[in-house]
Amino acid sequence: MCGRGRLKYVRFLNDQRPPYDLTYDDVFMVPNRSAVGSRQGVDLSSPDGTGTTIPLVVANMTAIAGRRMAETVARRGGLVVIPQDIPIDVVTEVIGWVKRRHHVLDTPITLAPTQTVADALSLLPKRAHGAGVVVRDGRPVGVVTESDLTGVDRFTQLSEVMASDLMVLDADIDPRDAFNKLDAAHFKFAPAVDSDGRLAGILTRKGALRATLYTPAVDADGALRIAAAVGINGEAVARAKALLDAGVDTLVVDTAHGHQEGMLEVLRAVRGLDPAVPIVAGNVVAAEGVRDLVEAGADIVKVGVGPGAMCTTRMMTGVGRPQFSAVLECAAEARKHGKHVWADGGVRHPRDVAMALAAGASNVMIGSWFAGTYESPGDLQQSADGRFYKESFGMASARAVRNRTAEDSAYDRARKGLFEEGISTSRMFLDPARPGVEDLIDSIIAGVRSACTYAGAATLDEFAENSVVGVQSAAGYAEGKPLHASW
Ligand SMILES: NC(=O)C1=CN([C@@H]2O[C@H](COP(=O)(O)OP(=O)(O)OC[C@H]3O[C@@H](n4cnc5c(N)ncnc54)[C@H](OP(=O)(O)O)[C@@H]3O)[C@@H](O)[C@H]2O)C=CC1
Ligand SMILES: Nc1nc2c(ncn2[C@@H]2O[C@H](COP(=O)(O)O)[C@@H](O)[C@H]2O)c(=O)[nH]1
Ligand SMILES: [K+]
């Protein structure tokens, strides 16, 4: 318990440790004297062996974690876990695809000059930068954005509407030079080409800037990293083996009740495969669970029962634990064994990420918040009031269970369908100011960098070590919120 004072790391303000458990909202951090002169000087790389250079992992949820999310997040130093429900041949293909992505250039939407305005309009929402590159024989001949396609007959060929006064960048251009070039020309983006003039990618002004501020998460061969999950039923161990053969960089063994014998059995078998990559297992919320999972072979333990935005477990069962205290206790236990924890679920603001790291997490998992971005797999939809959204659903929802059990008998499907512990449909609206996952990452990482300097920490270890945390009332939390209109 966080009240027993045996933690070496996070300190409670004035040694006031409440005898009850705490959520992220319950706590705040006070500043320390700091020798860290710049927020940019903070090293956010994780000590847990997963190779993340920012402490963010995208949750293995079908509505959130796909190939597009994987490349985009890894390029900025985070990691995406491909869900256990995706067929293994598809995951194998996705791993190879992500590993072939460029570190600086984004993957463009490519269109032929003979394709139509309707084709382009259906594809543009797949990119936060909102552009398509028109390509002939592999070479860019034009670009289209929504403004080129507005007010035009939908069957018009792109060759008639595309902008063909192209500025192209060299694929290996220094990002700072690229930024200056785009800025001087007042272009928001430009296609980039290899030495034969063939399209290699697209670079936006913001992308060029980000390439100077972030370090991609890469494997020993310099390819972008990607993680994938397995469950604990059926072919879990065979799937783990196939994922390792496909080159996955982190393996996640995931189930709702991680502290069950079925999990320990699978975990031992997965450890028996002798993987050269970290094994993550969960979910648990107490020290005993951490101990058993570490003993069975976990390098990292995933913490969180019930905090997830799509999660109804606490309302259905009463089971779970306020997430700040869960992370605090589990991180302390993992540390004793030289292991780590990921804080999984319930993150809604940059401050929550900071609080999870202060509690000792080596990475923070985010799901639903990232559903409302261009990079999540779902189709962009528009509500009656004109706002854009994506649909999300929980992995234990009736919808996910129906998908997962498609091969089972009708009886088994009906039986499993009764144990619903997640929301089957929710609208996650895109923030018009931050519609792409990289916009959200910018905001989270700015918050976390700043939190580290307030704590006087130059690394994540120092952050967990130095943080001084207090407990606040609901009014204390409310006071911290900005006021967008007068009271
Ligand atoms: N972090 C969280 O709070 C939660 C997360 N999830 C997520 O949902 C996804 C699906 O997980 P899951 O529901 O475990 O499905 P899985 O397909 O991984 O199966 C879980 C297995 O554990 C058995 N089991 C025993 N007790 C429980 C229990 N209390 N809850 C669930 N299964 C139990 C089930 O048997 P049987 O069906 O016969 O009982 C089944 O064999 C995962 O991604 C998981 O992370 C789900 C719920 C909570
Ligand atoms: N109880 C349930 N938990 C779920 C479900 N789907 C996902 N999850 C958990 O939530 C986190 C992500 O949390 P978020 O607040 O960032 O969305 C994820 O990693 C799972 O642990 C579900 O259907 N039921
Ligand atoms: K919840």
Side-chain angles (χ1 to χ4, degrees):
M1 297 283 289
C2 60
R4 292 192 196 142
R6 58 184 159 79
L7 298 172
K8 189 172 134 218
Y9 275 59
V10 193
R11 211 157 55 70
F12 276 86
L13 184 61
N14 302 323
D15 285 328
Q16 298 279 309
R17 301 166 185 214
Y20 49 85
D21 280 342
L22 304 165
T23 66
Y24 293 138
D25 286 4
D26 288 327
V27 285
F28 64 91
M29 223 180 312
V30 288
N32 295 333
R33 176 170 170 156
S34 174
V36 187
S38 165
R39 288 169 289 196
Q40 218 44 61
V42 178
D43 177 2
L44 292 179
S45 54
S46 172
D48 67 12
T50 55
T52 56
T53 64
I54 57 170
L56 297 182
V57 177
V58 178
N60 43 307
M61 294 171 69
T62 316
I64 297 154
R67 69 177 69 200
R68 176 72 189 141
M69 186 65 82
E71 71 154 325
T72 313
V73 171
R75 199 175 277 126
R76 301 302 168 224
L79 193 64
V80 172
V81 187
I82 302 297
Q84 55 271 43
D85 297 354
I86 310 294
I88 187 66
D89 52 329
V90 177
V91 187
T92 302
E93 206 267 308
V94 168
I95 293 171
W97 184 87
V98 168
K99 292 201 167 293
R100 292 191 301 276
R101 296 305 94 192
H102 200 280
H103 289 186
V104 174
L105 307 178
D106 200 358
T107 303
I109 287 171
T110 56
L111 296 150
T114 49
Q115 280 188 271
T116 64
V117 164
D119 294 332
L121 280 173
S122 70
L123 289 170
L124 291 196
K126 294 289 177 196
R127 291 295 180 274
H129 58 249
V133 183
V134 184
V135 174
R136 189 179 288 125
D137 300 327
R139 295 176 167 74
V141 293
V143 292
V144 287
T145 61
E146 202 183 325
S147 64
D148 301 312
L149 310 173
T150 313
V152 182
D153 186 276
R154 292 166 66 84
F155 294 100
T156 312
Q157 293 202 350
L158 296 177
S159 55
E160 290 179 39
V161 293
M162 68 190 187
S164 45
D165 54 335
L166 284 188
M167 177 174 110
V168 293
L169 301 167
D170 282 339
D172 51 8
I173 189 170
D174 174 67
R176 189 182 287 253
D177 293 341
F179 179 89
N180 290 335
K181 228 174 148 181
L182 287 163
D183 193 56
H186 302 291
F187 280 133
K188 279 201 178 138
F189 64 87
V193 295
D194 65 14
S195 52
D196 295 330
R198 294 182 159 274
L199 181 67
I202 189 164
L203 191 58
T204 63
R205 211 159 30 171
K206 263 196 186 161
L209 176 66
R210 287 177 177 132
T212 69
L213 299 175
Y214 293 93
T215 307
V218 294
D219 63 20
D221 299 324
L224 294 179
R225 287 182 184 248
I226 179 166
V230 301
I232 60 166
N233 287 333
E235 304 293 297
V237 182
R239 182 179 166 96
K241 166 100 178 50
L243 290 171
L244 292 168
D245 291 344
V248 79
D249 296 288
T250 293
L251 201 55
V252 179
V253 187
D254 185 34
T255 192
H257 184 8
H259 198 190
Q260 59 166 308
E261 283 168 20
M263 162 60 101
L264 299 176
E265 225 168 87
V266 169
L267 192 50
R268 279 188 215 105
V270 171
R271 176 49 74 195
L273 298 172
D274 200 17
V277 303
I279 303 178
V280 186
N283 281 17
V284 300
V285 287
E288 291 75 14
V290 174
R291 226 162 18 239
D292 284 348
L293 291 182
V294 165
E295 224 162 69
D299 300 301
I300 298 165
V301 173
K302 206 149 69 72
V303 176
V305 173
M310 297 297 112
C311 171
T312 59
T313 298
R314 295 216 195 139
M315 290 301 128
M316 289 292 291
T317 67
V319 175
R321 188 177 187 183
Q323 182 70 344
F324 181 80
S325 294
V327 175
L328 197 61
E329 176 173 305
C330 291
E333 183 62 28
R335 204 176 291 120
K336 286 188 204 157
H337 305 272
K339 306 292 182 189
H340 300 271
V341 302
W342 285 359
D344 174 21
V347 167
R348 288 145 207 209
H349 304 282
R351 72 175 296 286
D352 302 342
V353 177
M355 298 314 313
L357 296 169
S362 62
N363 267 297
V364 182
M365 239 185 171
I366 298 181
S368 310
W369 196 8
F370 288 175
T373 64
Y374 281 110
E375 287 76 12
S376 66
D379 284 331
L380 190 66
Q381 304 194 50
Q382 202 165 15
S383 63
D385 61 0
R387 293 194 295 156
F388 289 106
Y389 70 91
K390 297 254 183 120
E391 214 179 331
S392 185
F393 56 93
M395 294 300 283
S397 64
R399 176 167 170 175
V401 171
R402 242 188 342 264
N403 291 343
R404 187 151 60 235
T405 56
E407 315 266 280
D408 293 7
S409 70
Y411 171 79
D412 280 343
R413 294 189 79 191
R415 183 180 62 81
K416 288 178 184 169
L418 291 176
F419 290 97
E420 183 185 345
E421 281 182 32
I423 295 177
S424 279
T425 176
S426 97
R427 288 182 176 191
M428 301 308 288
F429 287 93
L430 276 68
D431 176 349
R434 297 193 183 87
V437 72
E438 292 173 287
D439 302 318
L440 296 180
I441 290 175
D442 286 347
S443 147
I444 293 168
I445 295 307
V448 170
R449 284 186 176 286
S450 194
C452 285
T453 62
Y454 276 119
T459 64
L460 293 181
D461 271 340
E462 285 180 15
F463 186 55
E465 219 166 304
N466 294 0
S467 292
V468 180
V469 162
V471 179
Q472 64 190 350
S473 62
Y477 180 80
E479 184 187 55
K481 287 192 164 175
L483 195 67
H484 292 290
S486 62
W487 60 96

